Amino acid sequence: MRALETILTEKGYVDPKALDAIIEAYETRIGPHNGAKAVAKAWVDPAYRQALLADATKAVGSLGFASRVGDHLVAVENTPQQHNMIVCTLCSCYPWEVLGLPPTWYKSAPYRSRTVIDPRGVLKDFGVTLPAETEIRVWDSTAETRFIVLPMRPAGTEGWSEDKLAELVTRDSMIGTGLPKAPGAAS
Amino acid sequence: MNGIHDMGGMEGFGPVKPEPNEPPFHSAWEGRALAMNRALGYAKIWNIDKSRAKIEEMPPHDYLTKTYYEKWAQRLEQLLVEYGYIGEDEVKAGHSLRPGKPVPRFLPAADVNKALSRGSYSREPTGPARFKAGDRVRTRNIHPHTHTRLPRYARDKAGVVECVRGFHVFPDSVAIGQGENPQWLYTVLFDARELWGDAADPKLKISIEAWDPYLEPA
């Protein structure tokens, strides 16, 4: 890897300082805390929730994150009737701008192969069991459309601030392989 | 192509293994590999579908055993050689043996935020969409030997158009140098039993994003 970077730098194709800055951005600024902020805002602000579901690109864009959201972000809402899960069976498409780098498991063969045929089995691997009557909807990210799950707000959080709610929103809850933390749960 | 990358519905890979508190990178070189891919993606020498196709062309054994960033690094090296930006001799030597050629769009450190933003893949429509939400469609039974984004598990299946997403760059064309050839893009919804047979979970639905040429009316 160092040899390739040496060649590319010597040939003037990359600026090592630019590479440092890209790494720094993904290590610090671009991560699931961005998506969590949008989710928490949707939980407390019905107008924002509507805006997010109508046009997530615009609604998330208005929050001013470091990495501008691509044009094709779609938020899908969990309800007591329907649970959403996001996958990319063909490669590893993932909403980087709102969730950061995809976790290794998201890019792995087990997740990419099984989610479309046995999502309840995949959920079990994450320790999640949903009622049998809950419909599961799997979104295969086969185009440049990117999806983020708007999970259900946990009970017992009435009156909580956006910041406090955002701490309950896990990365996995925005992919659909997890649920938000319960209030009072250890982080 | 009907490659190993097209994994939807396969079994036998074992359980999903979540890693608690996973760091962004497991070692420093992974960050360098990602950043170089980002910087040279920004350079516009190739397009995103061309780079996906390059990984899909890996022998299945390599695809399954190399890590994600190992594949990214190998892909980058191969693309740079293919487009004549570096030579095999330079890869072997580990340093440059001759001056580089101009990059269409160089990424200076000051412009890194631009490389962190995704571009738009929607284009000005040249005509109306063939389908609307609610239309019944059947995916085509196609097996191109080149890049496609219609997964095998969803070919020749009956579904319903749920949403018209817009008029988007067509990967099957742009990946093989035939231009963007934009097409209408739809979310198409399938009942699990249509994809996986009568024994499938009756409470499961799966959608793909499908370009117009993947579909016919049903």
Side-chain angles (χ1 to χ4, degrees), chain A residues 55-139:
Chain A
D55 185 344
T57 303
K58 217 158 141 193
V60 171
S62 72
L63 302 179
F65 298 137
S67 159
R68 192 188 65 88
V69 173
D71 275 351
H72 320 296
L73 185 68
V74 173
V76 294
E77 186 180 37
N78 283 351
T79 65
Q81 290 76 39
Q82 182 179 295
H83 179 87
N84 295 283
M85 291 173 73
I86 312 304
V87 68
C88 174
T89 61
L90 296 174
C91 51
S92 53
C93 298
Y94 186 78
W96 287 35
E97 297 84 355
V98 279
L99 298 187
L101 298 172
T104 299
W105 61 258
Y106 184 87
K107 305 174 286 195
S108 73
Y111 186 74
R112 288 170 47 198
S113 60
R114 267 170 67 219
T115 301
V116 287
I117 189 169
D118 181 23
R120 286 182 208 270
V122 169
L123 287 174
K124 245 180 228 146
D125 294 342
F126 286 85
V128 175
T129 308
L130 298 174
E133 63 271 21
T134 301
E135 182 177 297
I136 297 190
R137 165 64 185 275
V138 177
W139 301 76

Side-chain angles (χ1 to χ4, degrees), chain A residues 5 10-11 13 20 26 67-68 71 97 104 112-113 120 125 136-138 140 142 144-145, chain B residues 5 9 16 22 32 38 52 63 85 90 96 98 116 118 120 149 153 162 201 203 205 207 209:
Chain A
E5 185 174 339
E10 286 173 356
K11 290 179 100 68
Y13 299 156
D20 295 343
Y26 284 113
S67 159
R68 192 188 65 88
D71 275 351
E97 297 84 355
T104 299
R112 288 170 47 198
S113 60
R120 286 182 208 270
D125 294 342
I136 297 190
R137 165 64 185 275
V138 177
D140 193 354
T142 56
E144 296 303 332
T145 324
Chain B
H5 68 283
V16 182
E22 184 175 344
R32 306 313 286 182
R38 266 332 240 324
R52 285 193 185 115
Y63 189 94
Y85 279 80
E90 293 175 307
S96 170
R98 62 194 81 86
L116 298 177
R118 289 184 75 225
S120 175
R149 297 291 290 181
Y153 75 84
E162 187 179 50
D201 186 344
K203 302 292 269 183
K205 287 192 163 62
S207 64
E209 306 289 291

